[in-house]
Amino acid sequence: MAMRIRSSLVKVCLLASLALVPARAAATPILDQSAGADSAKDFGGANITGVAQTFTVGIEGILSRVDLLLLRYRSELEPVHIEIRRNLTDLTDASLLARVSLDPTVVPPYPGGGWLSIDFSPFGLQVTPGEQLALVIRYPIPTLYVWGVTVGDIYAGGHSYFFMNDQWNLGGGDQHFRTYVTPVPEPGVLALLAVGGIGYLGGQRGRSASR
């Protein structure tokens, strides 16, 4: 009897482990969109107070992380705001999907620069393939921060923009960025696993009762 109970417990644990596999796999963000490498031509201007890059989503799931190649160009310690927006035509909160404000001390100063990872997972931002969004950095002092830009337009899924004279203007390259999406397991797959587990346990109980 003890052996049968132990065997059933082992099988139940195995089923539980299999059911957790999709969730564990989905917990790892996957690189979706990117432009640029590890170095960049600096992008700035006397009156620029923001830079943006539009991009097209390629993977369905949760937009959980964004990497940007940034540097702090001036000595003032003002925060930089990184936003994800639906578009650039509406600068109100109506188009704002998520915003993270970075401590200026974490941004490497001029003439260095480096990749920074910004965690957007707490926002639970669901994205779908083909959806176009905008990455935006805003700062209160002109040219306080610089976002690395490529030489030439190399990214087909979007464009670079800079904010000057109270409007967004088309840039001449693409900003260095990487977006990471955490895929969400298909509901049908999880349902099948649950039904299979319930059916297995039911069969085991039926056999035990017949004995």
Side-chain angles (χ1 to χ4, degrees):
M1 179 68 177
M3 289 296 292
R4 286 199 298 269
I5 293 175
R6 192 178 295 112
S7 177
S8 295
L9 286 173
V10 170
K11 291 175 181 176
V12 169
C13 289
L14 286 173
L15 283 171
S17 299
L18 287 172
L20 287 173
V21 167
R24 287 175 180 169
T28 303
I30 298 174
L31 176 64
D32 183 20
Q33 303 296 301
S34 66
D38 291 332
S39 60
K41 175 173 73 84
D42 291 345
F43 189 90
N47 297 309
I48 291 177
T49 56
V51 182
Q53 172 74 41
T54 56
F55 67 98
T56 304
V57 177
I59 300 174
E60 183 169 4
I62 303 298
L63 181 55
S64 54
R65 185 180 120 201
V66 171
D67 294 350
L68 305 178
L69 184 59
L70 297 178
L71 67 81
R72 181 162 42 87
Y73 194 71
R74 297 173 55 164
S75 60
E76 293 91 340
L77 296 179
E78 294 288 341
V80 56
H81 307 290
I82 294 94
E83 302 173 342
I84 299 176
R85 289 184 171 272
R86 296 186 189 279
N87 56 66
L88 295 177
T89 58
D90 181 5
L91 294 181
T92 68
D93 286 347
S95 72
L96 180 65
L97 298 174
R99 176 190 288 131
V100 173
S101 297
L102 289 183
D103 185 314
T105 60
V106 306
V107 183
Y110 179 84
W115 285 94
L116 295 179
S117 293
I118 300 96
D119 182 17
F120 282 97
S121 60
F123 296 94
L125 184 56
Q126 182 78 37
V127 293
T128 57
E131 183 178 8
Q132 189 165 81
L133 301 173
L135 295 171
V136 179
I137 68 169
R138 303 293 302 275
Y139 34 88
I141 301 174
T143 323
L144 177 57
Y145 293 94
V146 175
W147 183 359
V149 66
T150 66
V151 179
D153 190 358
I154 66 171
Y155 176 67
H159 301 283
S160 168
Y161 298 85
F162 59 95
F163 194 75
M164 187 166 55
N165 299 326
D166 295 324
Q167 65 179 5
W168 287 106
N169 303 271
L170 185 64
D174 289 298
Q175 306 304 137
H176 288 234
F177 77 98
R178 302 168 185 151
T179 62
Y180 294 81
V181 173
T182 302
V184 177
E186 291 287 343
V189 173
L190 296 179
L192 285 174
L193 286 171
V195 170
I198 293 171
Y200 174 80
L201 292 175
Q204 289 294 99
R205 288 176 182 170
R207 283 194 288 274
S208 297
S210 66
R211 291 172 186 171

